[in-house]
Amino acid sequence: MTEIFEAIKRSAVKINEAIMYDDTGYSKECNSTGDTQLKLDIKSDIFIENEFKKITSIKEIVSEEKENKTSLHAKGEYLIGYDPLDGSSLLDVDQSVGSIFGIYKHNYSGKNLLASAYVVYGPRVELVIATDKVRMYRLNRKDEFYFYKEIKLNQKGKLNAPGSTQMCWSVHHRKMIDDIFKDGYRLRYSGGMVLDLHHILLKGGGLFSYPGTSDLPKGKLRLVFEVFPFAFIFEKAGGRSIDGKNRILDLTPSHPHDTSPCFFGSNSEIDRVLKTYE
Ligand code: FDP
């Protein structure tokens, strides 16, 4: 899989440069979810696809920006689900955004996820790769990623990142979030999944939630491109990820763009979610 991670690094360098200097405006295109695509969403997707096309071990890719899967190499063994530029609605306000990758075998189910990675384009560019462990890398002046540290979660954290539209929360979800704050947790929420989860991972724990709501009963975040890759990372870092009741990595989507409610955290916070939702 090394060559896949090298392709991710090369595309990250190109995407970072585009974020720094390109137009952050909208294109005339819509993605399959109906969101109007930014020019940078489209450009990032092309950078990644062009890099993946060179890797013969990749059989197929599916991007959050495209409705359909793209076949690459018939003899390849890996399938990759990716979100080229997550949180791109934050680009115009100069906040951190990211790219997310899940590397699968056979199909795009949680149990067939072999490895995952994400890149944060912030004041620094950081790359996190999860295989057996979760390793973080930083970009240097020569456009090389160097190993920085291993990421491990504590049993309990101090941060709370509650997503979605609050007026659409259920009564029990609202009470859980209020109780977490009453226990001294601090609010950390940027509106970009990659940064919010990176924050919790690097500070040792906490809870990120994007529940099912009255307007979006199945949540907003997409399993194949966003939720599975982070669920894998949280588990490998010593935390957990659930949809309220079930382990995220036990789920199987029926369509690549399926969404799910999701909760990522350290063990103590996930126990709390289970008690609320059971
Ligand atoms: P965005 O719409 O900017 O792409 O993937 C969707 C996402 O961002 C996540 O990055 C983020 O966590 C979430 O939406 C934020 O949604 P809310 O504004 O509903 O909290």
Side-chain angles (χ1 to χ4, degrees):
M1 252 184 271
T2 313
E3 52 186 5
I4 297 177
F5 297 131
E6 292 305 313
I8 290 173
K9 290 176 189 173
R10 289 192 297 275
S11 57
V13 169
K14 289 181 189 153
I15 293 170
N16 183 50
E17 195 185 313
I19 292 170
M20 298 284 279
Y21 305 114
D22 279 22
D23 180 359
T24 57
Y26 283 98
S27 71
K28 290 181 184 142
E29 313 296 322
C30 274
N31 66 14
S32 68
T33 322
D35 307 324
T36 309
Q37 290 170 302
L38 292 165
K39 291 176 194 165
L40 278 170
D41 283 322
I42 298 172
K43 196 163 186 176
S44 305
D45 194 19
I46 293 171
F47 284 147
I48 293 170
E49 183 170 332
N50 286 344
E51 287 297 339
F52 284 163
K53 274 182 182 163
K54 299 177 197 162
I55 313 293
T56 52
S57 61
I58 304 178
K59 185 174 185 170
E60 183 184 278
I61 55 176
V62 58
S63 164
E64 198 252 341
E65 296 301 332
K66 292 202 186 79
E67 172 65 22
N68 296 316
K69 302 166 184 169
T70 307
S71 299
L72 293 188
H73 302 281
K75 290 189 178 155
E77 53 179 327
Y78 300 117
L79 317 173
I80 304 186
Y82 66 97
D83 185 350
L85 209 51
D86 185 75
S88 55
S89 62
L90 297 173
L91 276 171
D92 57 348
V93 289
D94 201 16
Q95 296 292 301
S96 299
V97 293
S99 304
I100 313 170
F101 304 86
I103 303 168
Y104 301 82
K105 218 167 179 175
H106 310 303
N107 64 27
Y108 297 93
S109 64
K111 73 173 186 326
N112 284 324
L113 183 59
L114 303 179
S116 59
Y118 69 87
V119 183
V120 188
Y121 309 99
R124 281 186 302 272
V125 180
E126 297 187 334
L127 164 70
V128 172
I129 295 178
T131 49
D132 55 333
K133 292 179 177 176
V134 184
R135 296 176 177 90
M136 178 181 140
Y137 303 81
R138 281 183 171 170
L139 190 67
N140 68 15
R141 285 192 175 87
K142 295 182 195 159
D143 282 345
E144 298 156 345
F145 283 93
Y146 64 96
F147 175 73
Y148 184 69
K149 67 171 182 174
E150 189 184 331
I151 297 179
K152 282 185 188 157
L153 287 166
N154 301 325
Q155 282 303 303
K156 186 174 187 298
K158 295 177 182 161
L159 306 180
N160 190 17
S164 80
T165 311
Q166 298 191 8
M167 62 183 271
C168 301
W169 285 355
S170 66
V171 174
H172 59 278
H173 183 79
R174 182 181 305 278
K175 182 173 181 325
M176 180 186 79
I177 296 295
D178 286 348
D179 288 346
I180 291 174
F181 282 126
K182 280 182 196 152
D183 285 350
Y185 282 73
R186 304 181 83 98
L187 174 67
R188 293 291 183 270
Y189 192 76
S190 74
M193 180 188 197
V194 174
L195 180 62
D196 290 328
L197 290 170
H198 191 55
H199 200 146
I200 288 174
L201 284 163
L202 291 186
K203 298 287 185 188
L207 180 68
F208 174 97
S209 46
Y210 207 107
T213 53
S214 55
D215 58 338
L216 293 171
K218 290 191 171 171
K220 173 184 181 187
L221 301 176
R222 284 145 284 217
L223 280 166
V224 171
F225 321 110
E226 298 169 313
V227 178
F228 283 152
F230 272 108
F232 188 89
I233 291 167
F234 268 71
E235 287 199 2
K236 294 292 177 188
R240 275 186 289 160
S241 173
I242 57 171
D243 67 356
K245 292 180 181 153
N246 311 295
R247 177 176 173 250
I248 289 284
L249 293 176
D250 288 336
L251 304 177
T252 300
S254 46
H255 185 278
H257 290 267
D258 280 357
T259 61
S260 170
C262 53
F263 301 82
F264 303 90
S266 21
N267 283 315
S268 165
E269 289 80 16
I270 295 297
D271 284 341
R272 197 162 184 158
V273 178
L274 282 169
K275 265 189 209 132
T276 302
Y277 275 81
E278 74 190 355

